[in-house]
Amino acid sequence: MRIRMKLALASAVALIGAALPGTASAATVDSAPGAWEPAPQEAFELPAGARCEFAVRVEPIVDEVRKLTLATYPDGSPKRELYTGALIDRVTNLETGATSTADASGTSLVVYGTDGSMTWYVTGPVLLGFRENGGSLPKGLWIVDGQFVVRFDPSLAKTITMLHGTTHNVCTDVD
């Protein structure tokens, strides 16, 4: 299993490296099925107990994320997309006003299943919310950093398989 994980992650990292501007030839980027386009994150609020024990707001203060569609299904829906770019979120405890910033500027190759599942092959930090019994981490807003794979089942429960990296619950920063 570990060898398959390393091979899958190495393949994803190689694909990411080949598709990133400045790391690939112009011909490689131009021959992709789509073009880079902005992929902005919307601000959102969650009630107390949903991810943190208190109501929380997450809003981007730097959002330069863009995506490249690498492949689509026959109906035009995405099959594989690449996401990259700077993303810094402000996390606010809506009960106390305490704030913290979270760097979620990772690069992800996202593979979409036809059943609503997704698999992310990630290098760098991303911010992931976990509900109670919603995956492989406890309830919280987690910065997961390193090289890892996140599998989302159709209900969006998440299972993280770390190659190497760290996890940090941002809820503790604004508690």
Side-chain angles (χ1 to χ4, degrees):
M1 174 65 180
R2 184 162 282 297
I3 291 174
R4 265 191 280 147
M5 168 72 175
K6 286 181 181 179
L7 288 174
L9 195 54
S11 297
V13 169
L15 179 59
I16 289 167
L20 291 175
T23 62
S25 70
T28 302
V29 174
D30 290 343
S31 67
W36 286 100
E37 59 186 80
Q41 175 186 313
E42 298 294 323
F44 61 92
E45 292 184 6
L46 297 166
R51 300 298 181 274
C52 303
E53 295 305 316
F54 42 84
V56 66
R57 178 175 175 78
V58 177
E59 60 189 322
I61 54 177
V62 173
D63 190 347
E64 299 172 2
V65 176
R66 58 199 186 281
K67 71 176 177 177
L68 176 65
T69 300
L70 300 171
T72 58
Y73 286 104
D75 68 359
S77 62
K79 185 174 185 178
R80 286 190 315 275
E81 292 181 316
L82 184 63
Y83 288 83
T84 193
L87 178 61
I88 309 296
D89 287 322
R90 177 182 299 123
V91 180
T92 303
N93 177 328
L94 294 176
E95 296 171 13
T96 67
T99 65
S100 182
T101 56
D103 182 354
S105 302
T107 297
S108 300
L109 171 65
V110 179
V111 179
Y112 299 94
T114 57
D115 61 354
S117 64
M118 291 184 284
T119 303
W120 295 7
Y121 300 90
V122 184
T123 298
V126 296
L127 180 65
L128 293 168
F130 281 80
R131 65 183 184 270
E132 191 73 38
N133 300 312
S136 58
L137 288 175
K139 178 176 73 173
L141 286 173
W142 293 87
I143 286 291
V144 183
D145 194 3
Q147 290 184 320
F148 53 97
V149 175
V150 185
R151 288 184 173 75
F152 296 76
D153 71 18
S155 75
L156 299 182
K158 303 166 196 73
T159 302
I160 297 175
T161 304
M162 299 290 289
L163 182 58
H164 66 85
T166 59
T167 59
H168 174 71
N169 189 348
V170 179
C171 296
T172 64
D173 297 341
V174 294
D175 191 9

